[in-house]
Amino acid sequence: AGRFEGLSDKEWSCLERFLPEFSIGPEGGRPPVDFRRVLNSIFWVMITGARWCDIPREPQFAARSTAHRWLQRWAWDGTWERLQTGLLLAADYATKIDWNRASVDGSFSPFSGGGGGELIAKGHKGRGMLLHMLTDAQGRPLLIRVTAANDDERQQVLPMLKHLRQATGKAPRILQADRGYDAEWLRFKASWLLNVRTAIPRRQYDEARKGQYRKPVQSVENDRWKVERAFAWLIERTNV
């Protein structure tokens, strides 16, 4: 887990514009909330891996109940989605995204105990969730999605690429993935719909032909370790 003391003034100025404006109706209501303190509390929990009840009782942090309420509300009203899109645009404007190549991968996150909600399901690796990540050529995370463990990882690729295109007007020139993403329909749609070339090695074992073995294909350049490094960083430093 990492350490977090609160957003700097520069960080807050980048995020503030994407948060909803707080208004009180003519009949009154709750007093305005300091969204900077709310974000500080949310990020503190995510970065340190600590419990909500352990949020420091310091001036720069909001109460746990307030922070958790806004975390859920922003997920419901699309605030997190807008914030992500805004940061993507800012990163692209600052030429911080390498569009030459992108990598996609998934990581299983186990879940123990009862409940868990609709995102918790039993897959072939056990009960939990799947994290899907798309990174640029340098391994910088561009998009992260969460689905149930029994989801097909290949089904998340096109929606992530489309969201990237809608947010920035751009898409990576080449998309690479491991053999788990081997699917002719994925190669075709990525090329036809988004003009994205794919570098996905084919399985030698052909499930569609009931166990027949394909001829080995020419290997592709392998720098997928960058997306694996991003996953390692994410899991080590955040409360996922």
Side-chain angles (χ1 to χ4, degrees), residues 92-158:
D92 183 46
Y93 181 78
T95 66
K96 297 296 185 181
I97 299 177
D98 188 339
W99 294 103
N100 286 320
R101 183 182 293 261
S103 296
V104 64
D105 201 2
S107 177
F108 172 70
S109 179
F111 182 87
S112 58
E118 62 182 7
L119 291 179
I120 303 299
K122 187 174 182 179
H124 69 278
K125 293 184 179 180
R127 188 168 181 268
M129 302 179 295
L130 281 177
L131 307 178
H132 311 269
M133 183 185 295
L134 184 69
T135 65
D136 74 351
Q138 303 305 318
R140 303 184 187 98
L142 300 176
L143 289 174
I144 298 175
R145 290 288 183 268
V146 181
T147 64
N150 58 0
D151 186 64
D152 185 348
E153 295 180 60
R154 295 171 297 184
Q155 296 290 343
Q156 298 301 316
V157 177
L158 291 177

Side-chain angles (χ1 to χ4, degrees), residues 76-88:
W76 173 78
D77 67 10
T79 295
W80 293 117
E81 197 81 16
R82 290 194 300 272
L83 193 150
Q84 181 187 60
T85 299
L87 292 178
L88 277 174

Side-chain angles (χ1 to χ4, degrees), residues 6 11 13 21 27 30 35 44 59 63 84 93 98 109 129 137 148 152-153 157 163 170-171 176 180 206 217 227:
E11 291 168 339
S13 67
E21 295 184 3
E27 298 180 358
R30 292 178 180 269
F35 286 155
W44 185 88
Q84 181 187 60
Y93 181 78
D98 188 339
S109 179
M129 302 179 295
D152 185 348
E153 295 180 60
V157 177
H163 179 85
K170 298 179 181 179
Q176 64 179 27
D206 192 343
V217 298
V227 67

Side-chain angles (χ1 to χ4, degrees), residues 172-208:
R173 187 171 60 88
I174 300 174
L175 174 72
Q176 64 179 27
D178 61 23
R179 286 183 174 86
Y181 291 84
D182 178 22
E184 292 303 324
W185 63 263
L186 179 55
R187 293 185 179 90
F188 173 77
K189 289 187 176 180
S191 175
W192 180 258
L193 299 177
L194 299 167
N195 196 29
V196 175
R197 292 171 53 197
T198 54
I200 305 174
R202 289 180 170 85
R203 297 186 181 98
Q204 292 186 15
Y205 185 82
D206 192 343
E207 297 176 354

